[in-house]
Amino acid sequence: AQKITQTQPGMFVQEKEAVTLDCTYDTSDQSYGLFWYKQPSSGEMIFLIYQGSYDEQNATEGRYSLNFQKARKSANLVISASQLGDSAMYFCAMREALMDTGRRALTFGSGTRLQVQP
Amino acid sequence: DGGITQSPKYLFRKEGQNVTLSCEQNLNHDAMYWYRQDPGQGLRLIYYSQIVNDFQKGDIAEGYSVSREKKESFPLTVTSAQKNPTAFYLCASGRQGRTGELFFGEGSRLTVL
């Protein structure tokens, strides 16, 4: 089974509007973290936002917010007031077993390509 | 400036040749990672290292090798045993801490001719 599922291969949004990118995850761990990264055409992965499984409030970072619904195992990224520079690939990722100091690698979804239209 | 440097940015290889991708970080992170990205797919973990002189296989380690002789460096060798090596390779490092996000280099694009 996929650990991270992003069901939207591509999305379009008008400049200045808000957009939601979907992410669902699968884990049996109680302690885990969820991440969103942006990948522009240059290829570098840019960290956007983090949500811990025990965090009581949804994470926010500037124009980015994470709509975390633990019971539904979803962690959707909301980008408000879209800008042309937001056009990129967006990846959802998870780290399981946060208490385990061993493997701390992230597992990534397949990504969503967002295109912001003027 | 602190960051992760990958080189070369583009690399062409003939079939049967080994190639080594360089990854250097000056963030003082203990952990380093190598990921592979294919078109239309997410990142898949090749190898990771939590500390100098120690590393573990990730999900797709076959045909790859790594070393970690220095904290700052984590080179990846793509061997001739890797059946489909054409891909985009990303190196990352990570710190301990509440979020523990990974920091990535700009990637190396390998093409097998």
Side-chain angles (χ1 to χ4, degrees), chain A residues 35 37 39 42-47 50 52 55 91 95 98 101-111, chain B residues 9 33 35 37 40-43 45 48 50 57-59 88 90 95-102 104-106:
Chain A
F35 302 75
Y37 280 82
Q39 187 180 42
S42 60
E44 185 178 1
M45 298 284 286
I46 301 168
F47 167 69
Y50 168 84
D55 292 342
F91 291 94
R95 173 179 291 123
L98 287 183
T101 57
R103 171 169 167 158
R104 293 181 60 79
L106 302 186
T107 300
F108 286 82
S110 58
Chain B
K9 197 172 179 69
Y33 308 83
Y35 286 89
Q37 185 178 22
Q41 297 188 35
L43 281 64
L45 182 66
Y48 65 101
Q50 303 283 28
K57 293 181 179 180
D59 301 316
F88 188 56
L90 283 157
R95 60 186 178 191
Q96 300 293 336
R98 192 184 82 85
T99 62
E101 71 268 27
L102 300 189
F104 285 83
E106 293 188 346

Side-chain angles (χ1 to χ4, degrees), chain A residues 79-115:
Chain A
I79 304 174
S80 63
S82 297
Q83 301 172 358
L84 295 178
D86 293 334
S87 294
M89 283 289 290
Y90 288 82
F91 291 94
C92 180
M94 176 173 64
R95 173 179 291 123
E96 298 177 274
L98 287 183
M99 298 302 111
D100 181 1
T101 57
R103 171 169 167 158
R104 293 181 60 79
L106 302 186
T107 300
F108 286 82
S110 58
T112 296
R113 181 171 298 281
L114 177 66
Q115 295 188 55

